[in-house]
Amino acid sequence: MIATNGKDTIGLTLNVWRQAGPDAEGAFETYHLNSVSTHMSFLEMLDVLNEQLLAEGREPVAFDHDCREGICGSCGVVLNGQAHGPDRDTTVCQLHMRRFHDGDTITIEPFRAEAFPVVKDLVVDRSAFDRIIGVGGFVSARTGAAPDANAIPVPKEEADLAMDAASCIGCGACVASCPNAAAMLFVSAKVSHLGRLPQGAPERDERVVAMVQAMDGEGFGNCTNVGECEAACPKGISVGNIARLNRDFVRATIRRR
Amino acid sequence: MSSRLGAFLGSSIGKKTLMSLTGLGLVVFLIAHLAGNLTLYADGTGETYAAYAQKLKDLGPGLWFMELGLAAMFVAHIALAFRTSMENREARKSRYRVRGTKGEANLPNSSMLITGTVVLVFLVIHLLDFRFSEGLAPPHADVLAPKVVDRLASFTGAAIYLIGGVAVLIHLGHAFRSALRTLGVHHPQYENLIKRTGTGLAVALGLGFVSFPVILFASPDNYGGRGAESAQVAPAEQEQAPASGSPTVPTAAPAREEG
Ligand code: FES
């Protein structure tokens, strides 16, 4: 595989946000990498940077990652102002260095939101999402043993839309890219994913009210329908889910007991 | 029920829902307001305009009722806008060094607070210019047209109304589609239609309002301005007198509350 610029290695200047701890003052530090293989992923490039830093006796850059194949939602940084970097439908762990050019400067920042406090460097605490899930992002009905396949009929279209919503990996890029640091895309994906399926439908009203309340309580912003969330979402979750969340919330407010 | 409504209105979605409803209400008002204003172009004397103003005044208490409803929509929309904007600022105190976009952010959707604030400042000036130019009571219908023309024929007047019109145009560029989405309207099949309708509305209303400072600044004499008054419109003014001779003519004022 040949890099788009015809070179297999590129030199980069990195401006990286360094912050020793949650309460420490953060600042940018500049690093130079001379020969980055264009076949690396972005996180592998950070690994190389960290090895270089360790060799120099300096503190490596902390960043979140786990699966490195775009399915766990652990990774996530903002590159040159874009959550997960320049590509659509791509987590930063799946972003490849061939996307960059020799001599590029990349500014790497953590996801910024009051609800996502920085733990260290590029690592942020996204447990606000867990707390939102904790108040209703599940099905509590006793389902007994695994039912036979197709015992509960689900219309194909609903199943597809539920699956689309369920593809949310909870990475938080929607919050990071939203000008208001709103979490509507995340919450709407969870609410749609469960509410569209027969198993999740009975708790639809309680779920949406509880999850929106929790979302507001965590200090996320209000949606202004800019749509940057959908564009930044590595799973391409549609803002149509947000409209559906709004409908669901109004409906639940009216008919909830 | 009331606690349920309170909880709804206290939530982020509730606030945005109310903003959307009031916003759409204000768009309806703007359409009516522009339609009324366009009567100014109907003749060179301002007679049609004065007649329209008179009709509004004749609504009597109905006019007050409409004005109060309108004021309530404005107050709710503006108060919620500032409140939610402040919350949004609180939600991200540390800014990104590099501000990027993946193509969705644009001038209208990123400047709602700014264009909205410009419209608010404009609104205050506009109300003082015309609606409250004679105190609380609506101004006389017959003096309104020359007043409008004179105001817009001046450089500062034209500049203020031009800025106001452009701010409305940009604000509406995002408003319609955003309001519908907040109200839960989204369908892949209709997204394009909604987008185009919103843009069309913004352009039609924006250009409509912008046309007044442009046209009246360029040729005030053709629309019964003071220049025209002294030149050839003196008779026209007399003709108007009977129509508006009645005591106070409330009028066009309400309708122009905000444009
Ligand atoms: S590390 Fe798992 S999604 Fe990127």
Side-chain angles (χ1 to χ4, degrees):
Chain A
M1 172 85 65
I2 301 293
T4 47
N5 61 358
K7 281 180 160 190
D8 269 9
T9 61
I10 53 176
L12 294 172
T13 302
L14 306 175
N15 293 319
V16 184
W17 180 259
R18 302 305 305 266
Q19 183 172 336
D23 302 318
E25 276 280 304
F28 283 95
E29 280 185 23
T30 304
Y31 308 107
H32 299 281
L33 288 180
N34 293 326
S35 62
V36 174
S37 164
T38 52
H39 306 309
M40 286 180 188
S41 74
F42 192 85
L43 298 191
E44 283 165 338
M45 184 276 294
L46 287 181
D47 293 336
V48 170
L49 168 69
N50 280 344
E51 273 169 31
Q52 183 176 312
L53 289 175
L54 280 168
E56 293 166 5
R58 297 157 81 184
E59 181 81 11
V61 178
F63 63 92
D64 253 331
H65 61 103
D66 188 11
C67 71
R68 297 208 180 193
E69 54 186 23
I71 54 169
C72 75
S74 296
C75 65
V77 292
V78 170
L79 305 188
N80 295 334
Q82 295 180 314
H84 286 301
D87 288 342
R88 287 218 176 200
D89 300 335
T90 306
T91 54
V92 73
C93 61
Q94 292 280 286
L95 175 68
H96 281 76
M97 296 314 293
R98 66 179 76 96
R99 190 69 170 72
F100 298 91
H101 299 100
D102 194 29
D104 276 358
T105 298
I106 309 174
T107 300
I108 310 171
E109 303 179 65
F111 284 177
R112 295 193 192 277
E114 292 316 297
F116 286 172
V118 171
V119 176
K120 188 177 181 189
D121 298 337
L122 304 173
V123 177
V124 298
D125 177 359
R126 285 167 288 186
S127 54
F129 273 9
D130 300 336
R131 290 188 290 274
I132 295 173
I133 294 291
V135 299
F138 48 80
V139 173
S140 64
R142 282 170 190 277
T143 52
D148 288 343
N150 301 326
I152 304 174
V154 181
K156 169 81 170 115
E157 203 200 338
E158 284 295 298
D160 287 350
L161 291 170
M163 273 309 288
D164 286 350
S167 66
C168 168
I169 52 177
C171 65
C174 44
V175 175
S177 61
C178 174
N180 315 310
M184 291 284 279
L185 194 65
F186 168 76
V187 174
S188 70
K190 300 305 171 192
V191 164
S192 288
H193 148 213
L194 295 167
R196 280 189 185 277
L197 296 174
Q199 295 88 340
E203 289 162 297
R204 186 168 164 184
D205 290 350
E206 298 77 39
R207 175 182 306 116
V208 66
V209 170
M211 289 182 80
V212 168
Q213 259 170 15
M215 172 183 82
D216 290 348
E218 293 289 347
F220 291 104
N222 303 285
C223 178
T224 53
N225 297 309
V226 170
E228 281 291 326
C229 52
E230 176 185 288
C233 176
K235 297 297 153 186
I237 307 274
S238 162
V239 292
N241 288 300
I242 294 182
R244 191 177 180 279
L245 169 68
N246 292 331
R247 287 200 301 275
D248 253 23
F249 186 69
V250 171
R251 201 177 80 138
T253 298
I254 294 168
R255 47 171 228 180
R256 201 162 54 108
R257 281 165 207 279
Chain B
M1 181 66 199
S2 67
S3 74
R4 175 179 302 228
L5 187 65
F8 178 73
L9 293 178
S11 71
S12 56
I13 295 178
K15 281 179 274 194
K16 299 304 292 197
T17 300
L18 195 55
M19 272 183 81
S20 302
L21 290 173
T22 52
L24 288 179
L26 292 173
V27 168
V28 171
F29 157 71
L30 280 185
I31 294 171
H33 185 10
L34 179 63
N37 285 5
L38 287 175
T39 59
L40 197 60
Y41 294 144
D43 52 47
T45 59
E47 258 178 87
T48 318
Y49 187 69
Y52 157 66
Q54 184 63 44
K55 270 206 185 98
L56 280 180
K57 172 228 158 78
D58 291 343
L59 293 176
L63 181 64
W64 287 105
F65 187 73
M66 280 161 58
E67 282 188 320
L68 281 179
L70 194 52
M73 284 202 289
F74 269 110
V75 169
H77 189 76
I78 293 166
L80 285 167
F82 282 118
R83 167 109 190 257
T84 52
S85 297
M86 268 168 51
E87 289 169 350
N88 293 349
R89 274 181 174 267
E90 286 294 300
R92 177 176 293 128
K93 289 185 198 141
S94 62
R95 310 258 124 199
Y96 289 111
R97 175 193 265 192
V98 181
R99 290 181 67 184
T101 156
K102 278 194 176 160
E104 298 302 321
N106 53 36
L107 177 69
N109 70 25
S110 305
S111 63
M112 292 301 274
L113 181 65
I114 297 167
T115 52
T117 306
V118 172
V119 172
L120 172 59
V121 171
F122 168 78
L123 173 64
V124 172
I125 298 174
H126 181 47
L127 287 175
L128 293 176
D129 272 352
F130 303 120
R131 173 60 184 83
F132 297 117
S133 59
E134 294 172 21
L136 258 193
H140 289 75
D142 54 343
V143 299
L144 207 52
K147 204 183 259 181
V148 168
V149 177
D150 286 348
R151 177 70 168 142
L152 297 190
S154 76
F155 182 77
T156 34
I160 290 171
Y161 282 78
L162 187 68
I163 294 170
V166 170
V168 166
L169 197 165
I170 300 174
H171 197 75
L172 292 186
H174 179 56
F176 184 70
R177 189 181 179 205
S178 178
L180 286 193
R181 191 173 299 162
T182 297
L183 295 176
V185 181
H186 181 283
H187 191 290
Q189 213 78 53
Y190 305 124
E191 265 307 283
N192 248 333
L193 178 69
I194 292 172
K195 196 174 173 178
R196 285 199 200 128
T197 308
T199 309
L201 257 180
V203 171
L205 284 170
L207 291 188
F209 286 115
V210 161
S211 76
F212 292 96
V214 171
I215 291 176
L216 298 183
F217 184 72
S219 53
D221 298 355
N222 295 343
Y223 298 96
R226 202 174 290 144
E229 230 172 88
S230 53
Q232 87 262 30
V233 172
E237 240 216 310
Q238 280 170 354
E239 277 168 39
Q240 254 173 260
S244 52
S246 37
T248 351
V249 187
T251 321
R256 357 191 60 251
E257 226 135 269
E258 144 268 21

